[in-house]
């Protein structure tokens, strides 16, 4: 059954919307035909966005029954598809209210918002729209399986997945970080500086290099020469180069793989092997007590 707006009437969250859409469109191919889907769901046209400084937009009406999606003409295919997904979310999520002239206008910063809990309601909408776009373009059931199809986490595989799903490497990498069994982190760099980094907060350690800061010299990206558009070997890197290794705790073994691209960009993938919990003798002795039997009564 092709999906219609009636199926989605009660869906307020990106997750619920995607579940209902995937239920109605059970044989959706990969790459997901996002433009066709948008048309089925009330988008009458997808046009070039003329307003400078924005990546995407949506012109709609008060009831949001239909909409025209605007996309910056300079975007490459993957980013264009993500932007369409993002604007479609603004149309479908009932709480998202357009601004002046019944319009949404979304900047690059909006397209990168991910935290659904920020205080600013507008940024929260942007994060929800990004969540919808990501779930829609990388349907979780299929993507989770494919992300875990290789024995080791592998950047070359992330790049292949980005081609197969027709999304940017950043979007594919972000989902890879979420779905891969082992804890991994993905870093985007430009001209030897960290642009953005993504890790799963519950099982990957804090990355100590700030966004915008120089890449540490000990990184595999800088300590060796690499070929363009080919993922390097996976090599061990001193974990203190990237991670917050607290004093007195054993650092995990850190592995690094890099993928240099044209234009000064590069991807880095970090993976860890958790340290075995060793019995700490000093700690044990602190807690052990002399057994009563060792007291010899006089
Ligand atoms: Zn937006």
């Amino acid at each position: 059954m092709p999906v219609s707006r009636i199926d989605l009437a009660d869906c307020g969250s990106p997750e619920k919307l995607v579940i209902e859409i995937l239920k109605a469109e059970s044989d959706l191919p990969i790459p997901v035909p996002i433009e066709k889907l948008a048309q089925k769901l009330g988008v009458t046209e997808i046009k070039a966005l003329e307003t400078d400084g924005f990546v995407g937009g949506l012109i709609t009406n008060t009831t949001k029954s239909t909409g025209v999606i605007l996309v910056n003409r300079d975007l490459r295919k993957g980013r264009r598809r993500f932007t369409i997904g993002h604007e479609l979310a603004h149309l479908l999520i009932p709480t998202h209210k357009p601004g002046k002239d019944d319009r949404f206008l979304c900047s690059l910063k909006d397209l990168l918002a991910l935290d659904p809990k920020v205080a600013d309601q507008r940024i929260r909408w942007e994060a929800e729209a990004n969540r919808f776009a990501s779930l829609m373009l990388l349907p979780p059931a299929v993507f989770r399986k494919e992300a875990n199809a290789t024995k080791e986490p592998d950047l070359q595989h992330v790049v292949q997945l980005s081609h197969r799903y027709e999304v940017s490497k950043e979007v594919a990498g972000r989902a890879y970080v979420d779905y891969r069994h082992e804890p991994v982190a993905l870093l985007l760099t430009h001209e030897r500086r960290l642009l953005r980094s993504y890790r799963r907060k519950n099982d990957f350690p804090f990355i100590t290099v700030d966004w915008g800061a120089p890449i540490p010299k000990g990184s595999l990206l800088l300590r060796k020469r690499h070929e363009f558009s080919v993922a390097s070997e996976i090599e061990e890197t001193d974990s203190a180069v990237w991670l917050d290794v607290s004093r007195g705790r054993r650092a995990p073994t850190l592995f690094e793989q890099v993928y240099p691209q044209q234009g000064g960009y590069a991807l880095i993938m970090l993976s860890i092997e958790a340290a075995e919990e060793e019995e700490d003798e000093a700690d044990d002795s602190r807690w052990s007590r002399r057994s009563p039997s060792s007291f010899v009564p006089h």
Side-chain angles (χ1 to χ4, degrees), residues 56 86-87 90 104-107 110-111 122 125-126 129-130:
H86 175 106
E87 300 305 333
H90 285 322
F104 290 87
L105 277 175
C106 308
S107 65
D110 295 334
L111 271 288
R122 219 192 59 82
W125 292 349
E126 299 306 331
N130 292 330

Side-chain angles (χ1 to χ4, degrees), residues 79 112 170 186-198 209-215 264-267:
R79 294 215 179 266
L112 290 169
E170 182 168 5
L186 183 91
L187 285 62
L188 279 83
T189 75
H190 186 231
E191 307 288 7
R192 300 175 165 229
R193 283 181 182 271
L194 180 64
L195 278 183
R196 293 183 280 282
S197 58
Y198 302 103
V209 180
D210 290 332
W211 293 14
I215 302 294
Y265 291 92
L267 301 172

Side-chain angles (χ1 to χ4, degrees), residues 49 51-59 69-72 75 82-91 96 98-99 103-113 122 125-127 129-130:
L49 174 68
T51 320
D52 282 344
F54 293 94
V55 175
L58 172 76
I59 309 169
I69 288 180
L70 308 168
V71 185
N72 185 309
L75 296 189
F82 190 86
T83 305
I84 293 170
H86 175 106
E87 300 305 333
L88 178 60
H90 285 322
L91 182 70
H96 294 196
R103 264 169 200 250
F104 290 87
L105 277 175
C106 308
S107 65
L108 177 63
K109 203 171 153 220
D110 295 334
L111 271 288
L112 290 169
R122 219 192 59 82
W125 292 349
E126 299 306 331
N130 292 330

Side-chain angles (χ1 to χ4, degrees), residues 60-100:
T60 180
N61 49 27
T62 338
T63 58
K64 298 206 298 179
S65 55
T66 63
V68 173
I69 288 180
L70 308 168
V71 185
N72 185 309
R73 63 173 84 231
D74 299 330
L75 296 189
R76 290 166 73 172
K77 198 192 221 172
R79 294 215 179 266
R80 175 184 165 83
R81 283 166 51 75
F82 190 86
T83 305
I84 293 170
H86 175 106
E87 300 305 333
L88 178 60
H90 285 322
L91 182 70
L92 298 179
I93 300 177
T95 50
H96 294 196
K97 299 277 180 260
K100 206 171 147 267

